[in-house]
């Protein structure tokens, strides 16, 4: 059985999929499988993947009966993986991995359920390095309390396969937006670690799916509302729930404003109110820490 399964949910990525596959095939750690999930696009992405599969037996292609979206395609890929007690990673086929990504993650994950690494965000040839500011769950809770930004991109994770399957088994919802956040929050646990290596290359371009769907506000709002309702039911610390609820509410109001469903004044009022609440949360946290050490 392969130690690591890399899942590629594939939909209309013909110009980029070859680069993504090459970044998997040429990994310095070879005991992997590459699962391409055909999400019923209408270009030659899957034909390219088939050509590679004919040359490399580690590549496996799964065909969806209809378009299901990235969230469902990723899960289907995991369920069809053969890594057993091993690990899964996700790669969007318009992005690519550093060639030592699997090796570095496997060395560092040890007996943990989840490892998060950094990524390079490339937009118009400008590269930002985005990496975790913490090293373990204890520090994660601390940084959350200070409202430091914590990326929730699933493609910057290595996850124990059995742990992932257990966490997502009750999710039955078609997402266009916010699926990464919901799944990421579901995976938060005491056996999670962070490394600063930037192992994923996230490419932003005009034809990306996120850009194409920018006007589908009603669907986005439904996704965000569903995510918020799911988060509120989770058994996590108040600091963690407060942090992610804050970001979802901010996104909801941004979409409402962009779709002209609320006025500019209401939007500005909400932002000011939430900013004030955020400052209060941070002050309360600092006061509680001072009391603890008096």
């Amino acid at each position: 059985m392969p130690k690591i399964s890399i899942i590629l949910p594939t939909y209309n990525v013909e110009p980029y999929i070859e680069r993504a596959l090459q970044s998997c095939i040429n990994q310095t750690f070879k005991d992997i499988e590459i699962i391409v999930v055909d999400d019923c696009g209408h270009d030659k992405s899957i034909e390219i993947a088939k050509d590679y599969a004919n040359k490399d037996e580690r590549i496996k292609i799964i065909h969806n009966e209809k378009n299901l979206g990235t969230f469902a395609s990723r899960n289907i890929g995991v369920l069809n993986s053969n890594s057993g007690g091993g690990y899964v990673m996700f790669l969007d086929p318009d992005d690519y991995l550093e060639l030592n990504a699997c090796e570095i993650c496997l060395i560092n994950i040890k007996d943990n359920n989840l490892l998060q690494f950094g990524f390079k965000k490339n937009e118009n040839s400008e590269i930002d390095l985005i990496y975790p500011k913490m090293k373990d769950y204890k520090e994660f809770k601390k940084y959350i309390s200070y409202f430091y930004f914590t990326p929730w991109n699933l493609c910057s994770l290595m996850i124990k396969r059995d742990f992932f399957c257990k966490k997502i088994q009750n999710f039955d919802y078609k997402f266009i937006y916010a699926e990464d956040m919901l799944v990421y929050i579901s995976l938060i646990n005491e056996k999670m670690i962070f490394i600063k290596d930037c192992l994923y290359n996230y490419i932003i371009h005009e034809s990306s799916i996120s850009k194409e769907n920018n006007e589908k506000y009603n669907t986005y709002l439904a996704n965000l509302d569903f995510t918020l309702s799911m988060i509120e039911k989770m058994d996590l610390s108040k600091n963690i729930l407060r942090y992610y609820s804050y970001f979802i509410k901010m996104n909801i109001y941004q979409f409402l404003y962009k779709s002209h469903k609320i006025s500019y004044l209401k939007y500005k009022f909400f932002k000011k109110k939430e900013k004030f609440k955020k400052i209060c949360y941070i002050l309360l946290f600092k006061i509680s820490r001072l009391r603890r050490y008096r």
Side-chain angles (χ1 to χ4, degrees), residues 55-73:
K55 301 171 189 174
D56 193 323
E57 62 183 8
R58 296 176 300 169
I59 299 175
K60 180 179 180 180
I61 300 176
I62 306 295
H63 299 280
N64 291 344
E65 293 183 2
K66 61 180 181 179
N67 177 255
L68 298 174
T70 302
F71 176 72
S73 295

Side-chain angles (χ1 to χ4, degrees), residues 136-198:
D136 54 25
Y137 177 72
K138 184 178 179 181
E139 288 193 358
F140 173 80
K141 288 204 300 182
K142 173 185 172 182
Y143 277 91
I144 285 290
S145 298
Y146 282 105
F147 274 73
Y148 284 15
F149 174 67
T150 305
W152 47 74
N153 189 338
L154 296 186
C155 293
S156 63
L157 305 177
M158 172 179 272
I159 314 159
K160 190 174 286 186
R161 181 189 182 277
D162 293 343
F163 174 76
F164 180 85
C165 291
K166 180 181 177 181
K167 290 294 183 178
I168 58 94
Q169 62 184 346
N170 294 323
F171 290 167
D172 184 18
Y173 188 80
K174 184 169 181 178
F175 280 96
I176 291 179
Y177 186 76
E179 74 271 18
D180 274 25
M181 183 187 285
L182 178 57
V183 176
Y184 181 84
I185 298 168
S186 303
L187 296 173
I188 291 170
N189 71 102
E190 293 184 358
K191 296 183 71 175
M192 62 190 296
I193 60 168
F194 306 83
I195 59 175
K196 293 185 177 180
D197 303 69
C198 290

